[in-house]
Structures are given as C-alpha cells and as structure tokens.
C-alpha cells in the first residue's frame, strides 16, 4: 500500500476487473482517455491483468479513498525503462461521484513519489487529449511542463485530435514535493 493524503494505492485486484471494465466502457468516463473507445470485453480485461507487472514495464495500482476504502479508479506507470530511467503515467478516476474532489491529483502525486523515490526514475511524462481542459489545467498545476503535442494522432468523434504531452523531471518533483530541509 502506498499512502497519499486523500487516497491510497494498492496492487490491482482481479475482483475489481468488472468495475474498471464498466467504467472504461462508459462514454462519459472514457471520453478523453487515451484508451477505452472500443468496448472492452471480459476476456480483454483479463488479458490486461495477465500482462501487468514490472517485467512488462508496468506498475499499475488501484486508487482507494483513504476515508472509506472505496475503489475509485486506477493509476500507474507504463513503458518504464529502468536503464534510461523514464516512464509514462496514466490515470482514470472511473467513479463519477469522486470527480472534482482532488483524488486524481493526489493519486498522480503519490504515483510520482513511487516513480521518482522508489523506482529512481529521472523523468515521467503524462498525456491528455488536447480538448481536455480540466486535465490540462491539473497537470500544469501539479508542476508538469508542456513538452509538445502529438498532432492528430487519435480519430475520435468524427475528427482527428492530438495529445498534449507534459513531463516532469526528478529534480522538479523534489523541488515541488519533498521537504527541502530533509
């Protein structure tokens, strides 16, 4: 278990596979996600669980609300390269009642702590749909730096859209989130 301020992270639990699959198949939840625009079957979700773990370069976690233990989404790192010390963070808060309460921000910062202080990564990127204003504002507020745009890389809702790429370096993370007197 990895504790944040409002949330805690646990390893993935197959007992929650149907919950996350339902969220990912909800058009309102997956509207701006980089995945999930084609319905996910039970078999595909099980293959996802089978493919996870450090050997695959993935470190994925469930997000639970600290106050009551509710499972509200997933956050994790993919494409982790321990030689070059970089990876990509992704998040979904699928429980709509949990939106706008700071749980996603806390989950990202908690996952960044794991990336930088436990795995020893040097840089972590995060991407979002260029139309996802709430995510764009959140990532900037958390200290991510805009690194570029993957132009017209996704076809969604009848048109092409791009991904804005942000990143954060280890020293930027430490400056923002670590006690400077330690």
């Amino acid at each position: 278990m990895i504790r944040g301020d409002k949330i805690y992270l646990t390893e993935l639990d197959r007992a929650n596979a149907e919950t996350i699959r339902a969220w990912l198949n909800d058009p309102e939840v997956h509207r701006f996600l980089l995945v999930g625009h084609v319905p996910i079957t039970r078999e595909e979700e099980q293959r996802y669980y089978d493919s996870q773990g450090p050997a695959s370069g993935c470190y994925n976690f469930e997000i639970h609300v600290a106050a009551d233990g509710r499972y509200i989404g997933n956050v994790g790192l993919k494409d982790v390269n321990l030689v070059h010390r970089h990876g990509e963070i992704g998040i979904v808060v699928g429980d709509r009642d949990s939106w706008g309460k700071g749980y996603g921000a806390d989950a990202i910062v908690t996952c960044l702590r794991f990336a930088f202080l436990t795995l020893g990564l040097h840089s972590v990127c995060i991407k979002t749909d260029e139309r996802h204003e709430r995510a764009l504002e959140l990532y900037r507020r958390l200290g991510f730096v805009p690194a570029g745009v993957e132009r017209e890389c996704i076809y969604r809702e009848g048109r092409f859209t791009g991904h804005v790429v942000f990143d954060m370096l280890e020293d930027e993370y430490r400056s923002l989130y670590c006690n400077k007197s330690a």
Side-chain angles (χ1 to χ4, degrees):
M1 180 182 310
I2 305 170
R3 293 195 177 278
D5 293 329
K6 297 180 174 190
I7 57 88
Y8 61 88
L9 306 178
T10 65
E11 63 186 50
L12 297 180
D13 183 347
R14 280 184 192 267
N16 291 324
E18 281 304 301
T19 302
I20 188 68
R21 188 174 79 84
W23 288 333
L24 292 175
N25 286 334
D26 177 342
E28 186 66 23
V29 172
H30 76 234
R31 180 169 182 225
F32 292 119
L33 293 181
L34 308 184
V35 298
H37 300 278
V38 176
I40 298 168
T41 66
R42 283 185 178 86
E43 295 76 21
E44 289 167 325
E45 189 65 16
Q46 289 306 315
R47 279 195 296 277
Y48 170 80
Y49 278 81
D50 291 341
S51 70
Q52 297 306 295
S56 67
C58 297
Y59 298 82
N60 289 305
F61 305 99
E62 291 184 354
I63 306 166
H64 295 266
V65 176
D68 59 17
R70 275 182 303 120
Y71 170 52
I72 62 167
N74 289 4
V75 66
L77 299 163
K78 71 175 190 171
D79 300 331
V80 172
N81 184 313
L82 295 175
V83 173
H84 300 294
R85 297 176 45 209
H86 62 79
E88 179 180 338
I89 195 168
I91 184 167
V92 57
V93 175
D95 176 44
R96 290 195 217 174
D97 292 337
S98 298
W99 291 359
K101 296 187 171 141
Y103 300 137
D106 192 28
I108 290 169
V109 171
T110 302
C111 193
L112 286 171
R113 185 176 75 229
F114 173 78
F116 291 123
L117 303 185
T118 301
L119 295 180
L121 298 186
H122 176 69
S123 68
V124 174
C125 75
I126 192 167
K127 300 176 183 180
T128 190
D129 185 299
E130 65 190 357
R131 298 169 299 151
H132 194 352
E133 293 298 327
R134 286 179 42 207
L136 293 168
E137 189 275 324
L138 172 64
Y139 301 160
R140 285 184 182 99
R141 186 168 42 85
L142 292 178
F144 284 94
V145 176
V149 176
E150 297 176 328
R151 300 178 311 139
E152 297 186 5
C153 61
I154 294 294
Y155 187 73
R156 181 180 299 157
E157 298 173 348
R159 69 182 189 102
F160 285 96
T161 187
H163 291 157
V164 178
V165 181
F166 293 85
D167 65 10
M168 183 182 291
L169 302 177
E170 176 187 10
D171 64 335
E172 294 166 338
Y173 169 82
R174 288 180 183 276
S175 175
L176 289 167
Y177 296 105
C178 292
N179 184 342
K180 294 179 184 180
S181 65

